[in-house]
Amino acid sequence: MPTTARKRPRGIYLLPNLFTTAAMFAGFYAIVASIGGRYSEAALAVFIAGILDGLDGRVARLTGTQSDFGVQYDSLSDLVSFGLAPALVMYTWSLSSLTEYGSLWGKVGWSAAFIYAACAAMRLARFNTQVGVADKRYFQGLASPAAAGFCMAFVWTIEKFDLSGIDVQFFTPFVAVVAGLLMVSNFRYFSFKSWPSSEQVPFVWIPAALLIIVALVIDPPRVLFAIGVLYLLSGPVMTLWGLRRSREKRALRGNERGEE
């Protein structure tokens, strides 16, 4: 008697997908808040989306509820929360004001926003094709949540100084384009997925974490922006340093072979 193939269940896992849906809702709310001129709320909503995005995968792994549907749904949620939402927030906040200087400058504004959104989509597509192949310790290119966090920290910090997007309208395109291009670059960034490597950590981590928490409570936007800038720069610095070390090793091997 021929064996029949076992049918896969049609249902989906509720708990991790609820976190994914909440993350997408936070990204959608950021867009709505920016349309209403509540830019600090919009920036905060994107950060909340980042926290929820980090939780859905962990919940799925802890409960053993990973699924192909969850992976694809999470990717689409990331596109909304970390691709479209930051692009539209920056456009409504600052980039749209460039139209005051003529149609050419207006095109520069929406083009910068589109470049960011398109690069976020390509970054997510590349990540999906590299699952199970790439080194989990590093990201190839800036992760979309980190890029979104950097851009939203920039918006939040400017608002904290009682300024508006119009005051930095010529600088915002560079922020959007640089963040977008870094997402599709080959720079390596620490993923922190395998960090720490054990349950025990050095004691100095506790006061360091305490200082970061206190700083975030005192001035969240500026501290987040400083962390974002440092992480943004870490990719090029780490990649260039690695290339230099590899060149030195090759030169050393060449000298050793020459001496032989």
Side-chain angles (χ1 to χ4, degrees), residues 73-85:
Y73 187 38
D74 180 70
S75 183
L76 293 173
S77 173
D78 288 352
L79 179 59
V80 173
S81 299
F82 310 126
L84 295 177

Side-chain angles (χ1 to χ4, degrees), residues 2 24 37 39 58 60 81 86 102 107 118 180 192 205 231 236 256:
M24 184 164 55
Y39 302 113
R58 294 182 183 276
S81 299
K107 293 176 182 177
F192 300 105
W205 285 21
Y231 186 68
E256 290 175 351

Side-chain angles (χ1 to χ4, degrees), residues 48-60:
I48 293 174
I51 295 172
L52 294 170
D53 178 66
L55 289 174
D56 61 359
R58 294 182 183 276
V59 168

Side-chain angles (χ1 to χ4, degrees), residues 31-128:
I31 297 172
V32 175
S34 68
I35 294 173
R38 303 187 304 275
Y39 302 113
S40 295
E41 288 184 22
L44 182 59
V46 173
F47 280 109
I48 293 174
I51 295 172
L52 294 170
D53 178 66
L55 289 174
D56 61 359
R58 294 182 183 276
V59 168
R61 286 189 293 271
L62 287 173
T63 57
T65 53
Q66 300 102 316
S67 66
D68 293 338
F69 173 86
V71 172
Q72 300 303 321
Y73 187 38
D74 180 70
S75 183
L76 293 173
S77 173
D78 288 352
L79 179 59
V80 173
S81 299
F82 310 126
L84 295 177
L88 292 172
V89 170
M90 286 188 292
Y91 181 76
T92 56
W93 173 68
S94 177
L95 295 172
S96 61
S97 65
L98 289 172
T99 55
E100 298 174 0
Y101 299 92
S103 61
L104 178 61
W105 280 106
K107 293 176 182 177
V108 169
W110 63 255
S111 295
F114 174 73
I115 287 171
Y116 176 90
C119 288
M122 288 186 284
R123 171 68 179 81
L124 290 166
R126 184 172 69 176
F127 178 80
N128 289 342

